[in-house]
Amino acid sequence: MTTTPLLVIAAGGTGGHMFPAQALAETMLERGWRVRLSTDPRGARYTGGFPEAVEIGVVRSATFARGGPLAKLAVPFRIAVGIASAVRQMLADKPAVIVGFGGYPAIPAMAAAWLLRRPRMIHEQNGVLGRVNQLFARRVHRIACGTWPTELPAGVEGVHTGNPVRSAVLKRAGAPYIAPGDHPMEILVMGGSQGARILSDVVPGAIAALPEALRARVRICQQAREEDLDRVAGFYADAGIAADLHTFITDVPDRLAECQLLISRAGASTVADVAVVGRPAIFIPLASAIRDEQSANARGLVEAGAATLIPEADLTKATLARAIADILENPDKARHMAQAALGTSVPDAAERLAALVEQLAGLQKEEKQ
């Protein structure tokens, strides 16, 4: 029987949950821990970037947010099956600590950890607790916060760790910034894990509306939904604008390091990545977010002068074109924004989170003595 401590990471199936989970997994492996990721079949599809040493544990989970009436009736039963499976796994191979990163696939492992009274904590990436993390906020030993300050329930305290970024992002931390000028300039456009139709609708027209001298120098790398690819590509081609389109951008760290400007949603992982690399950004927070967490995520960069925020309600081709030109026609401003972004970054967030994990493991050992 191995004496190497086991960390169970429970995370949902979006980049916002999985990227910081991956960063912690990488760090804990380096510290000599074993790591198991607990997720559901949907989450397992996003595990390609995790180190091979991470064991992938797939358990069943469900959400009331999807499916018809019959599917919703089955949700409690599916979750119960997942919890039972997670309990069996933890009894067979006792984890030293369980860390939840949110998302409904995290429910079974976090519930099992609570039932078995294992040392446990959650990491909240956004400035407002997600639904699953709200559920467990009073049932864990620590709450690590990626965005600071984070709105927490009354009487609940958090620890500011920052949002861990993947090793591929850390390798480009503080990469030298080439300010806008009389040379080709890269604009990176991202819409989150699922893309964003509104960016496909508005960004091409905004680029086309730029002053001719500026428009001739820009190059676009844009994420778009598969159903939007042809029309977006056609628009750029007709307008004579160089564009590289993808449904999912796999080399985000390199693209960030090479760009002069990012236009993006304000997911917590994206905000953390752009801060660590250090690039000017225009954020368009997701308007349909119930708690408006993306505006909270972007607040630190905006207040530092590193980013411009355009609410979705105010997003038009004209407003976006003005915001782009304001940055790319002012090299000193762009350079200042890049430096300000670096000033908000927490490049050692994964190490801070790892220290909390080991602290919890130490508390468990003390209780046994």
Side-chain angles (χ1 to χ4, degrees):
M1 182 177 176
T2 180
T3 58
T4 305
L6 170 65
L7 169 67
V8 170
I9 294 175
T14 67
H17 300 305
M18 301 298 269
F19 289 155
Q22 178 185 329
L24 178 61
E26 293 167 346
T27 302
M28 297 309 296
L29 288 172
E30 290 173 357
R31 293 187 177 211
W33 283 56
R34 292 185 295 134
V35 180
R36 178 192 302 143
L37 173 69
S38 180
T39 189
D40 73 346
R42 176 173 171 261
R45 295 180 298 179
Y46 292 82
T47 58
F50 278 70
E52 290 184 4
V54 175
E55 176 189 344
I56 308 300
V58 178
V59 296
R60 299 187 73 180
S61 190
T63 174
F64 288 100
R66 293 189 179 93
L70 289 177
K72 287 179 170 59
L73 284 174
V75 166
F77 301 100
R78 290 173 62 88
I79 292 176
V81 170
I83 293 172
S85 175
V87 166
R88 285 194 299 270
Q89 287 182 359
M90 290 184 191
L91 287 174
D93 190 5
K94 292 183 175 61
V97 181
I98 299 91
V99 181
F101 282 84
Y104 69 86
I107 293 174
M110 293 307 299
W114 176 70
L115 288 169
L116 297 174
R117 299 297 187 261
R118 306 301 298 172
R120 57 202 177 275
M121 61 185 285
I122 57 175
H123 179 275
E124 176 55 57
Q125 300 87 55
N126 300 298
V128 182
L129 284 180
R131 287 195 182 99
V132 172
N133 280 348
Q134 283 181 348
L135 176 64
F136 291 102
R138 298 184 186 278
R139 297 176 173 85
V140 294
H141 298 98
R142 297 283 189 280
I143 298 179
C145 301
T147 300
W148 196 255
T150 298
E151 294 181 23
L152 297 172
V156 174
E157 295 185 359
V159 179
H160 181 212
T161 60
N163 278 312
V165 298
R166 298 158 290 158
S167 58
V169 176
L170 283 177
K171 288 177 182 177
R172 305 310 301 264
Y177 177 60
I178 301 174
D182 190 17
H183 53 76
M185 293 178 286
E186 185 90 2
I187 299 176
L188 177 61
V189 185
M190 299 194 300
S193 296
Q194 305 302 320
R197 181 179 295 277
I198 193 170
L199 298 186
S200 294
D201 292 342
V202 177
V203 172
I207 300 298
L210 293 173
E212 184 177 352
L214 177 59
R215 185 178 68 246
R217 300 198 303 276
V218 299
R219 307 289 185 269
I220 310 299
C221 175
Q222 182 165 346
Q223 178 192 12
R225 296 184 181 189
E226 187 170 357
E227 60 267 31
D228 296 328
L229 279 177
D230 288 344
R231 70 179 177 89
V232 174
F235 184 96
Y236 281 130
D238 292 343
I241 298 166
D244 183 16
L245 303 181
H246 304 265
T247 55
F248 188 78
I249 299 174
T250 58
D251 56 345
V252 169
D254 291 336
R255 296 282 189 172
L256 262 179
E258 294 164 4
C259 79
Q260 275 66 50
L261 173 65
L262 170 72
I263 301 172
S264 178
R265 290 299 200 190
S269 289
T270 298
V271 171
D273 288 354
V274 74
V276 167
V277 177
R279 293 296 179 264
I282 297 172
F283 289 124
I284 299 102
L286 179 66
S288 61
I290 297 173
R291 296 167 297 278
D292 196 23
E293 59 265 27
Q294 290 204 356
S295 293
N297 296 343
R299 187 179 299 128
L301 282 172
V302 173
E303 291 178 350
T308 297
L309 188 146
I310 304 177
E312 219 176 272
D314 298 335
L315 183 66
T316 65
K317 296 171 186 177
T319 57
L320 182 56
R322 284 195 295 271
I324 295 170
D326 184 52
I327 296 169
L328 295 187
E329 290 184 331
N330 293 281
D332 289 341
K333 177 174 182 173
R335 199 176 290 110
H336 170 78
M337 292 177 75
Q339 196 63 39
L342 284 174
T344 70
S345 69
V346 187
D348 64 341
E351 296 292 340
R352 294 187 188 189
L353 193 56
L356 282 181
V357 170
E358 295 191 332
Q359 184 184 82
L360 279 183
L363 288 176
Q364 182 194 26
K365 291 178 183 177
E366 290 174 11
E367 290 174 359
K368 290 182 177 180
Q369 292 175 353

